[in-house]
């Protein structure tokens, strides 16, 4: 909403423009009227809409055409004043003033006009019969007010309507010629309806209507008032009410009715509460609330945000199979201006046998977006109406900014839940297979992935000492000379070589020596394709000896070429090393250290599966 309003009064000489302003300010008709009143600013606390209002007078005797054109271009609303007892001043409204204003305003930003019939005290008849055809001809005319500066009739109302025309304009909402709402308004209200339809049954029941009413107007509707609203819709629309709930058609009908009856401030209140600006676009301040992220800190979703996202998933998982079909996913993102998830997402997170994103995969993708691009996450949460439905100040309330990683190292403990593992390896070493195996896909299933749908990320949960954590794997493009800061910034490094290729290990050794040998980032060597015959690596020492010299755990054998889903133990080890980078090499070699971590993971996974089944039954 605008922070102030600028009202310009124009019209023929002697119609009473200056008198109207002076009568408003002094609350009495002036004995002496100057050619032109000085610009007046009415403070916010004395205006109905609580917005400072500037009132500007125009005098043909004192101002040039150039000055008039400048004032027209600066005005938010223009009052064209005529005298109800002067036919010539009425004719000039269409022959002179409206064309002049049109020529001097931007065609894309229509300035609302108010027709003001002054001197109503001098006649017994109304000018409305003459004015109505003019109002029907020009859609930019918001309203017409007949008033009298002499007896103070409708003076306050005149300036209230002028202010309202700026703060709650009809133009973006309604097309008078078609007598219907404009497409952008329908689109915005449809999104609002879908966000407010908490159970996604296509109707707003009494609880949902009350929540909507409280959200927008800070007060619930009494049961009788609710019923009255629905009765109005029932009388005018066959399918406006269904199962005692308001349908989308009924919802849109109500807002059309508000606008037609001059109560468009009601519709604007709703639109602005749900983040829309005067052009019916979602406000940038709404989509991107401020969020300060210091260096070496990461971003994660907090508990409230996960609960909200879970409710969104449940709302759209119509068949209760704990996965989103393509149709259910499109329905979920119907409140977005575009489809945010492409086919690569299905190869970034867990899916079911049909390739549909599971509940776990859905939460994982949100976790990944929050970690990699928190601004995008804020935008997405904004489209879903997080701040409104979760009753939070903004989407930023759903984000946790973790503490500096250096503090974690000093305290030898971390509060983070998401850990990044950058995966390095030469071309053909098995990096992509390693990522896909984390999502439970063996080599046979990986071969069905189209190249254009390939993802360089994989994210899933692991369990360390019974704690659920997210491990985010990122496959780094093997261009040794052009590694960016983001390629190097991670919690753990994974160096993958192909045991069947004698030249594969050399790349891993070079990357380690140049970028990670002197860093505090833990590293792990992966001996990939271990189902194939192992050959001697053409390097100065064996991978085992290399790891021993550089105090790394021994190379971990890995293959995804099996009939069953790949073993997940290796990912638990990576997460554990990322969580405890301070743990000594001796501890990492200890079998009991890994046993404690993996047993915790197994127990938690079994419990998690049991809980999953219980949740499925309750849902």
């Amino acid at each position: 909403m605008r922070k102030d309003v600028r009202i310009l009064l124009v019209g023929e000489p002697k119609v009473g423009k200056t008198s109207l302003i002076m009568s408003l300010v002094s609350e009495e008709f002036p004995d002496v009227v100057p050619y032109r009143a000085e610009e007046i600013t009415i403070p916010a606390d004395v205006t109905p809409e609580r917005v400072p209002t500037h009132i500007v007078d125009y005098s043909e005797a004192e101002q040039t055409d150039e000055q008039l054109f400048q004032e027209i271009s600066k005005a938010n609303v223009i009052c064209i004043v005529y005298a109800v007892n002067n036919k010539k001043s009425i004719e000039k409204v269409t022959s002179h003033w409206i064309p002049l204003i049109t020529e001097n305003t931007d065609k894309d930003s229509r300035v609302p006009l108010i027709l003001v019939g002054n001197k109503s005290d001098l006649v017994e008849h109304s000018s409305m019969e003459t004015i109505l055809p003019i109002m029907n001809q020009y859609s930019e005319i918001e309203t017409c007010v007949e008033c009298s500066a002499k007896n103070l009739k409708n003076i306050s109302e005149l300036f209230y309507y002028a202010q309202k025309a700026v703060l709650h304009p009809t133009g973006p909402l309604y097309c008078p010629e078609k007598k219907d709402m404009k497409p952008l308004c329908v689109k915005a209200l449809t999104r609002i309806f879908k966000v407010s339809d908490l159970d996604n049954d296509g109707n707003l029941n009494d609880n949902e209507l009350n929540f909507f009413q409280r959200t927008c107007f800070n007060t619930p509707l009494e049961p009788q008032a609710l019923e009255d609203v629905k009765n109005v819709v029932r009388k005018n629309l066959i399918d406006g009410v269904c199962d005692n709930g308001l349908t989308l058609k009924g919802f849109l009908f109500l807002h059309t009715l508000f606008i037609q009856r001059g109560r468009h401030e009601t519709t604007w209140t709703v639109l602005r509460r749900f983040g829309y600006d005067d052009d019916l676009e979602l406000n940038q301040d709404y989509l991107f609330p401020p969020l300060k992220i210091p260096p070496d800190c990461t971003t994660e979703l907090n508990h409230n945000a996960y609960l909200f996202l879970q409710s969104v998933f449940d709302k759209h998982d119509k068949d209760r199979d704990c996965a989103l079909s393509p149709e259910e996913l499109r329905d979920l993102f119907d409140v977005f201006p575009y489809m945010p998830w492409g086919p690569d997402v299905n190869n970034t997170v867990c899916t079911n046998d049909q390739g549909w994103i599971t509940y776990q995969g859905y939460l994982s993708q949100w976790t990944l977006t929050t970690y990699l691009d928190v601004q995008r996450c804020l935008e997405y949460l904004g489209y879903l109406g997080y701040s409104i439905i979760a009753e939070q100040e903004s989407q930023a309330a759903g984000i946790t900014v973790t503490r500096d990683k250096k503090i974690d190292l000093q305290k030898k403990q971390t509060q983070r839940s998401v850990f990044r593992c950058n995966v390095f390896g030469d071309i053909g070493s098995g990096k992509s297979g390693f990522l896909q195996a984390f999502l439970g896909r063996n080599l046979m299933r990986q071969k069905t992935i189209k190249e254009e749908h390939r993802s360089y990320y994989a994210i899933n949960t692991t369990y360390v000492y019974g704690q659920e954590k997210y491990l985010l794997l990122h496959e780094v493009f093997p261009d040794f000379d052009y590694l960016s800061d983001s390629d190097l910034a991670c919690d753990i490094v994974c160096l993958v070589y192909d045991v069947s290729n004698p030249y594969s290990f050399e790349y891993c050794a070079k990357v380690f020596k140049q970028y990670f040998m002197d860093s505090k980032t833990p590293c792990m060597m992966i001996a990939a394709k271990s189902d194939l015959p192992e050959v001697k690596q053409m390097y100065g020492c064996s991978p085992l000896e290399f790891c021993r010299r550089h105090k790394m755990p021994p190379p971990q054998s890995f293959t995804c070429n099996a009939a069953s889903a790949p073993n997940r133990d290796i990912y638990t080890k990576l997460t554990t090393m990322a969580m405890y980078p301070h743990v000594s090499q001796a501890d990492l070699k200890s079998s009991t250290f890994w046993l404690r971590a993996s047993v915790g993971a197994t127990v938690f996974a079994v419990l998690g599966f049991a809980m999953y089944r219980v949740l499925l039954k309750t849902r």
Side-chain angles (χ1 to χ4, degrees), residues 50-74:
R50 300 285 171 184
V51 173
T53 302
H54 312 282
I55 302 173
V56 181
D57 194 7
Y58 162 70
S59 168
E60 189 179 299
E62 288 198 352
Q63 290 173 287
T64 64
D65 286 350
E66 187 57 41
Q67 286 174 313
L68 171 61
F69 301 155
Q70 285 179 4
E71 286 298 348
I72 287 173
S73 67
K74 289 192 288 184

Side-chain angles (χ1 to χ4, degrees), residues 164 257-268:
K164 183 178 169 182
L257 201 62
F258 290 144
I259 296 163
Q260 288 173 341
R261 292 183 178 179
R263 288 179 53 198
H264 32 283
E265 66 270 20
T266 303
T267 300
W268 274 116

Side-chain angles (χ1 to χ4, degrees), residues 201-301:
D201 67 346
N203 302 319
L204 296 183
N205 60 40
D206 286 1
N207 287 335
E208 289 165 343
L209 278 169
N210 254 318
F211 181 78
F212 170 82
Q213 177 75 12
R214 205 170 64 247
T215 297
C216 296
F217 305 103
N218 297 319
T219 176
L221 280 172
E222 294 296 324
Q224 187 55 51
L226 262 177
E227 205 52 44
D228 291 345
V229 167
K230 284 186 276 190
N231 284 335
V232 169
V233 176
R234 283 190 190 102
K235 283 177 187 174
N236 290 275
L237 214 60
I238 298 169
D239 49 357
V241 176
C242 179
D243 297 329
N244 205 35
L246 195 65
T247 66
L248 175 59
K249 281 188 178 179
F251 184 74
L252 294 175
F253 166 78
L254 272 181
H255 282 282
T256 306
L257 201 62
F258 290 144
I259 296 163
Q260 288 173 341
R261 292 183 178 179
R263 288 179 53 198
H264 32 283
E265 66 270 20
T266 303
T267 300
W268 274 116
T269 301
V270 170
L271 288 164
R272 286 180 177 133
R273 179 67 185 91
F274 278 78
Y276 289 92
D277 61 18
D278 290 352
D279 298 317
L280 297 185
E281 298 288 342
L282 282 169
N283 202 306
Q284 293 298 293
D285 293 340
Y286 166 79
L287 288 177
F288 304 104
L291 182 68
K292 190 178 178 184
I293 306 163
D296 290 327
C297 298
T298 58
T299 43
E300 301 177 0
L301 293 165

Side-chain angles (χ1 to χ4, degrees), residues 53 78 136 185 191 351-352 386 390 440 469 490-491 503 532:
T53 302
I78 298 173
N136 290 333
C185 183
R191 171 185 163 264
T351 57
N352 64 10
Y386 172 74
K469 301 293 179 184
C490 57
D491 301 300
Y503 302 101
L532 300 176

